[in-house]
């Protein structure tokens, strides 16, 4: 019987089987962590009304974790595909620097009372809008011109992000120690900082944007081949690039405005997803990245909350593990 030639995301049947097992394991891990978090340490006996009341109070954390995991996973994987670089992440492009400089400017010019007043839906919308506008202007300026180049855009984004961070640091050094402590609590990524009142805005936006990115997975597969190949295959590479980057900026604005900066989370989940899936197909990579982000983020939050009484320090684990993975990746690859 002649060999049957096939094309697709998996070279062998074994790869397909491993992927199915991987997704099943991640789903089971996510379900188990969710169950443990909802019930662990509940002082009310199971079945009583008080037990379910406490469980209901904890559901907001699960919603935040799911939103952040989806935003970081979809944004980072899509951004790295658009830029053809698996090291650069949206966080390095200045998204989080805008958030930090806004928070710092409010307390610098208006004091602690001004920062306390700068909360709620209006604050969330202003921050998100500024981050999206910053990204759109940067992309339009650097990609639509005659000399438009993705590498130049990355370099300018890194420089602008560093400049904004320097401005924030300068203002922070001039703050009163009490005001500085208050600012630190705002600019340190914390799931507990999420305002549940913003859910009616964040949830629909994240669902729509993630769905659009997933439906365009086949197009991202072509974008990953490079501009010349994509254009020869009939895909307008620059237009697709601009759309992907815009959607990425929306997701990053949502997650950063919701919980604050989490610099290495996106890189961590994307890198793990690439290694586990071992495929080019974004239809398979994106769900795994989101599941990895959910398991890692909820697991970190559960450990810090229940064993170290420091639920606001989830980013400590993220930065430690994410930074280590980043260094190992660089050392293994040997170049940027």
């Amino acid at each position: 019987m002649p060999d049957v030639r096939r094309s697709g995301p998996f070279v062998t049947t074994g790869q397909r089987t491993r992927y199915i097992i991987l997704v099943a394991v991640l789903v089971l891990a996510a379900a188990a962590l969710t169950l443990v978090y909802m019930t662990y340490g509940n002082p009310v006996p199971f079945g009583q009304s008080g037990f379910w009341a406490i469980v209901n109070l904890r559901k907001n954390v699960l919603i935040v974790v799911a939103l952040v995991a989806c935003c970081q996973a979809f944004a980072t994987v899509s951004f790295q595909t658009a830029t053809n670089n698996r090291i650069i992440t949206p966080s390095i492009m200045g998204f989080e620097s805008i958030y930090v400089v806004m928070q710092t400017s409010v307390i610098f010019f208006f004091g602690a009372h001004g920062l306390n007043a700068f909360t709620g839906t209006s604050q969330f919308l202003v921050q998100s809008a500024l981050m999206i506008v910053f990204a759109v202007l940067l992309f339009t300026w650097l990609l639509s011109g005659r000399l438009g180049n993705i590498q130049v855009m990355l370099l300018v984004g890194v420089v602008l992000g560093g400049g904004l961070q320097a401005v924030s640091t300068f203002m922070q050094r001039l703050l009163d120690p009490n005001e500085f402590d208050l600012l630190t609590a705002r600019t340190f990524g914390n799931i507990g900082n999420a305002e549940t009142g913003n859910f009616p805005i964040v949830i629909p936006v994240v669902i729509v944007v993630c769905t659009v990115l997933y439906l365009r997975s086949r197009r991202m597969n072509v974008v990953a081949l490079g501009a010349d190949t994509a254009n020869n295959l009939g895909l307008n590479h620059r237009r697709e690039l601009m759309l992907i980057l815009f959607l990425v900026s929306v997701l990053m604005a949502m997650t950063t405005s919701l919980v604050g900066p989490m610099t290495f989370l996106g890189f961590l989940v994307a890198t793990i997803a690439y290694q586990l899936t071992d495929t080019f197909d974004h239809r398979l990579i994106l769900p795994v990245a989101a599941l990895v982000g959910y398991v890692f983020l909820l697991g970190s939050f559960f450990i810090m909350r229940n064993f170290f009484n420091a639920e606001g320090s989830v980013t400590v684990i993220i930065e430690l593990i994410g930074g280590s993975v980043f260094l190992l990746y660089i050392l293994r690859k040997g170049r940027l």
Side-chain angles (χ1 to χ4, degrees), residues 177-246:
N178 294 325
E179 294 178 339
F180 180 78
D181 289 341
L182 179 61
L183 177 65
T184 302
R186 286 287 192 93
T187 57
F188 197 73
N190 187 352
I191 295 175
N193 284 342
E195 292 285 344
T196 58
N198 296 323
F199 284 172
I201 299 174
V202 180
I203 293 175
V205 171
V206 172
I207 291 175
V208 169
V209 174
C210 288
T211 301
V212 171
L213 283 173
Y214 186 79
L215 293 176
R216 303 183 77 84
S217 294
R218 294 181 184 274
R219 291 175 175 266
M220 282 197 282
N221 294 341
V222 178
V223 170
L225 299 175
D228 294 337
T229 303
N231 289 326
N232 288 334
L233 291 174
L235 182 70
N236 189 323
H237 182 269
R238 177 165 294 181
R239 183 175 63 189
E240 196 67 26
L241 196 67
M242 293 289 289
L243 178 59
I244 292 174
L245 293 175
F246 170 73

Side-chain angles (χ1 to χ4, degrees), residues 78-85 88 150-151 153-154 241 245:
S78 301
F79 184 81
Q80 291 179 344
T81 297
T83 58
N84 194 26
N85 190 312
I88 299 294
I150 191 71
Q151 304 302 326
M153 185 204 74
L154 292 175
L241 196 67
L245 293 175

Side-chain angles (χ1 to χ4, degrees), residues 12-240:
T12 64
T13 305
Q15 278 188 314
R16 183 185 302 275
T17 303
R18 285 194 296 271
Y19 179 82
I20 294 174
I21 294 174
L22 169 65
V23 173
V25 170
L26 288 174
V27 170
L28 290 175
L33 275 173
T34 300
L35 180 62
V36 170
Y37 170 74
M38 295 290 277
T39 58
Y40 183 84
N42 194 325
V44 183
F46 177 78
Q48 296 186 12
S49 59
F51 178 88
W52 297 112
I54 294 175
V55 168
N56 188 58
L57 290 174
R58 295 181 179 181
K59 73 178 187 303
N60 288 333
V61 169
L62 298 178
I63 296 174
V64 174
V65 169
L67 290 172
V68 173
C70 288
C71 287
Q72 292 281 352
F74 276 71
T76 304
V77 172
S78 301
F79 184 81
Q80 291 179 344
T81 297
T83 58
N84 194 26
N85 190 312
R86 290 193 175 183
I87 294 177
I88 299 294
T89 65
S91 299
I92 301 177
M93 291 292 294
F95 289 98
E96 295 177 350
S97 298
I98 296 176
Y99 173 85
V100 174
V101 79
M102 282 190 63
Q103 297 287 334
T104 305
S105 299
V106 170
I107 197 170
F108 182 81
F109 291 108
F110 303 104
H113 296 292
L115 187 62
N116 290 328
F118 190 58
T119 57
T121 303
S122 58
Q123 169 255 359
F124 178 85
L125 291 174
V126 169
Q127 286 183 160
S128 301
L130 284 177
M131 281 186 275
I132 294 173
V133 169
F134 168 82
V136 170
L137 291 177
L138 182 66
F139 302 152
T140 303
W141 172 41
L142 295 175
L143 293 180
S144 297
R146 180 173 58 88
L147 301 177
N149 186 289
I150 191 71
Q151 304 302 326
V152 174
M153 185 204 74
L154 292 175
L155 179 60
V156 172
V158 171
V159 172
L160 289 177
L164 292 173
Q165 190 65 43
V167 172
S168 301
T169 302
F170 173 75
M171 289 191 291
Q172 289 171 9
R173 291 183 179 274
L174 301 178
L175 294 177
D176 176 86
N178 294 325
E179 294 178 339
F180 180 78
D181 289 341
L182 179 61
L183 177 65
T184 302
R186 286 287 192 93
T187 57
F188 197 73
N190 187 352
I191 295 175
N193 284 342
E195 292 285 344
T196 58
N198 296 323
F199 284 172
I201 299 174
V202 180
I203 293 175
V205 171
V206 172
I207 291 175
V208 169
V209 174
C210 288
T211 301
V212 171
L213 283 173
Y214 186 79
L215 293 176
R216 303 183 77 84
S217 294
R218 294 181 184 274
R219 291 175 175 266
M220 282 197 282
N221 294 341
V222 178
V223 170
L225 299 175
D228 294 337
T229 303
N231 289 326
N232 288 334
L233 291 174
L235 182 70
N236 189 323
H237 182 269
R238 177 165 294 181
R239 183 175 63 189
E240 196 67 26

Side-chain angles (χ1 to χ4, degrees), residues 277-290:
T277 56
D278 192 26
T279 180
F280 66 86
D281 197 339
H282 288 77
R283 294 177 301 168
L284 307 176
I285 298 173
L286 290 173
V288 170

